[in-house]
Amino acid sequence: FGEGFPPADPADPNSREAIQPQAGQVLFPDSSYKTAQALRDFNNEGLPVMIFANWRGFSGGSRDMSGEILKFGSMIVDALREYNHPIYIYFPPFGELRGGSWVVVDPTINEEKMTMFSDPDARGGILEPAGIVEIKFRLADQLKAMHRIDPQLQMLDAELEATDDTDQDAQEAIKEQIAAREDLLKPVYLQAATEFADLHDKTGRMKAKGVIKDSVPWARSREYFFYLAKRRIAQDNYISQLKAADSSLDYNRALNVLKSLCTVDWEDNHAVLDFYSANHAAIISKINEVKVAAIKAQIDALQKQLGE
């Protein structure tokens, strides 16, 4: 929780400094602009970026809309799209990433540079579990589930069907029992539905859906990201050289060239970093081969054009 302090208007003697409360874990126009500006500065300095994502969304009040929250939020997307160095988004323990704040740091903005990770105890998703339940499992759906699952309600439904239509008193008594049973079960079913929705936001599910690359416990996150950062710096350097040697190569094809040379577990950052260090000369030799092959292909293409 924080506060903003818009200054008084020096041209208006009646104006005063205002105090605007700002909730925690929420992006406001000023914090969004600062984030975008910091990303641009880091990019100009050639630095990799680590984002500890723990936001519940953007502030969407009328005051924030007039404060151009949409423009400043889109500036974060622009800064990430133009970023030329590795970006790591990490959900810290018990942190969560929700709503529009997920949208502006989604790795699909810059797939070559951005990677998302999460602590096993973190959560992520556009909607929070309570919101999912309100949309996907409304009261009518809960009542249907109760009558499908609960034995007592099934018994009361059978009694209601067996009751003669002319016996209004008996039907009313059974309906009252059904309503009382439904009221008793509503909190239980709502809690179960909320817990079920929460399971979809956990790290294991995010990894299964491919929205994060890996689950990284907080206790070993420093070591993990240390070797990952060093590996990506070296790897991106080789990829840049490969793309310069052969202009037809895109990022994925250049990466496949490095994969074909690698003799260790590709998912082990420490092992891959050691491989790059130990086989630097062999990788440079492969880059030179790619360059020679690209030049020969250009010469062959020119000769065919001249022959035509």
Side-chain angles (χ1 to χ4, degrees), residues 121-194:
D121 293 322
R123 299 285 189 277
I126 300 298
L127 293 177
E128 297 188 17
I132 291 280
V133 172
E134 285 290 329
I135 296 172
K136 294 289 189 180
F137 198 55
R138 299 178 184 231
L139 180 59
D141 300 317
Q142 294 178 32
L143 294 177
K144 287 180 183 178
M146 293 177 196
H147 286 266
R148 189 179 68 250
I149 297 171
D150 185 63
Q152 188 170 339
L153 281 176
Q154 291 174 353
M155 181 185 67
L156 290 171
D157 289 338
E159 290 181 7
L160 185 61
E161 290 181 6
T163 305
D164 192 275
D165 292 340
T166 59
D167 192 350
Q168 296 294 329
D169 293 336
Q171 287 187 348
E172 289 298 326
I174 294 174
K175 288 180 179 178
E176 288 179 2
Q177 294 181 53
I178 291 175
R181 182 64 178 172
E182 288 174 348
D183 290 338
L184 181 66
L185 293 177
K186 281 177 187 176
V188 178
Y189 275 70
L190 180 61
Q191 183 179 3
T194 304

Side-chain angles (χ1 to χ4, degrees), residues 26 58 102 104 150 206 212 214 231-232 240 287 291:
V26 177
F58 282 87
W102 179 299
V104 298
D150 185 63
M206 288 192 286
I212 64 171
D214 202 0
R231 171 201 173 160
R232 279 299 303 270
S240 297
I287 293 172
K291 184 176 182 179

